[in-house]
Amino acid sequence: MEILFVRIDPVQEIAAEPATLDTLIDILRPKAVEPRATPEFLAMARACDWPLVYDEKIPPGYVHCRPTPGALPPLRAAEIADYLRVLMPKEQPGA
């Protein structure tokens, strides 16, 4: 089965029709030998601890990475810039 990921930032939930999600879960589960994915990818995927959701409306072979329903919308570019501006030290005179 070919699996296609459809990503919507920020990813907080992974949804797929049952057979596709079961295949993805099998790919990501710990094994003595990792035949399908690199160890780095598997470590990253397991560390995310995303909720996995069955969704019958998604076509077989597609996995939707989407925000959890009811989650706050992602920050706008201006909000991110303001946040980073607060974190960045001000330039020192003569520097």
Side-chain angles (χ1 to χ4, degrees), residues 9-94:
D9 291 325
V11 174
Q12 296 174 351
E13 177 181 89
I14 295 178
E17 62 88 27
T20 302
L21 190 59
D22 289 343
T23 300
L24 181 62
I25 291 168
D26 180 56
I27 291 168
L28 296 177
R29 73 178 167 76
K31 301 172 195 66
V33 177
E34 303 288 357
R36 297 183 205 105
T38 65
E40 294 82 11
F41 173 77
L42 292 166
M44 180 274 310
R46 292 178 188 133
C48 291
D49 198 29
W50 289 321
L52 302 174
V53 178
Y54 290 122
D55 188 336
E56 299 279 350
K57 295 174 277 185
I58 299 172
Y62 283 82
V63 176
H64 286 207
C65 300
R66 61 191 184 197
T68 301
L72 295 174
L75 295 175
R76 293 175 293 132
E79 292 171 319
I80 294 170
D82 289 342
Y83 177 76
L84 291 174
R85 201 173 357 270
V86 170
L87 293 177
M88 302 287 276
K90 296 186 189 236
E91 287 188 36
Q92 300 295 325

